[in-house]
Amino acid sequence: MTDAQKLVTLKTLLDDGGEVPSDEKLTTYLELARAEILAWKFHLIGGVPESVTNVSDLDEGVQIYAVIAGYTHAGAEGQSTQIENGVHRVFIYEDMIGYIRNHVLPYVRVGAIK
């Protein structure tokens, strides 16, 4: 999936009849999610290999839903519960990073790190 396709998917999922975030804001979220997915996936083997520049096809859904989790949780960072004007919100993930770390399996290998 291209970045443009991810952007269209995000806008579709976030459209609740109100104002949809700007392309620039969503692109920034997508880039941050991509970077965190790669960093988390390869942190046990010493970092992201130079040949890896984008998330795998399997992690594209995680990238999109991590952006949704991060965007919809903006303003309530670190909270697990928010009560405002009688509206109770309970968050499963504290932020986009929490979502990613719960949905991306780190890459591991057996043997010595070179």
Side-chain angles (χ1 to χ4, degrees):
M1 184 181 294
T2 66
D3 288 341
Q5 290 170 317
K6 291 176 188 176
L7 195 57
V8 169
T9 301
L10 273 171
K11 290 173 119 177
T12 301
L13 293 172
L14 288 171
D15 183 16
D16 62 356
E19 194 172 313
V20 177
S22 69
D23 288 0
E24 183 179 8
K25 183 175 273 190
L26 291 177
T27 300
T28 300
Y29 270 98
L30 279 169
E31 177 57 30
L32 291 170
R34 181 197 67 77
E36 179 60 27
I37 288 169
L38 294 178
W40 181 250
K41 184 176 255 340
F42 296 104
H43 78 279
L44 295 176
I45 62 164
V48 182
E50 289 181 19
S51 61
V52 178
T53 58
N54 210 344
V55 299
S56 69
D57 293 347
L58 296 173
D59 289 328
E60 287 178 341
V62 174
Q63 183 183 19
I64 289 168
Y65 281 103
V67 170
I68 292 170
Y71 179 77
T72 57
H73 198 223
E77 291 89 356
Q79 296 179 2
S80 60
T81 304
Q82 183 182 56
I83 302 170
E84 185 177 318
N85 297 327
V87 177
H88 296 252
R89 294 180 184 91
V90 178
F91 303 107
I92 297 171
Y93 306 102
E94 65 277 7
D95 55 19
M96 183 169 70
I97 293 171
Y99 184 90
I100 289 168
R101 292 186 179 182
N102 277 281
H103 289 85
V104 173
L105 293 174
Y107 179 81
V108 297
R109 63 179 170 213
V110 178
I113 297 176
K114 295 181 181 180

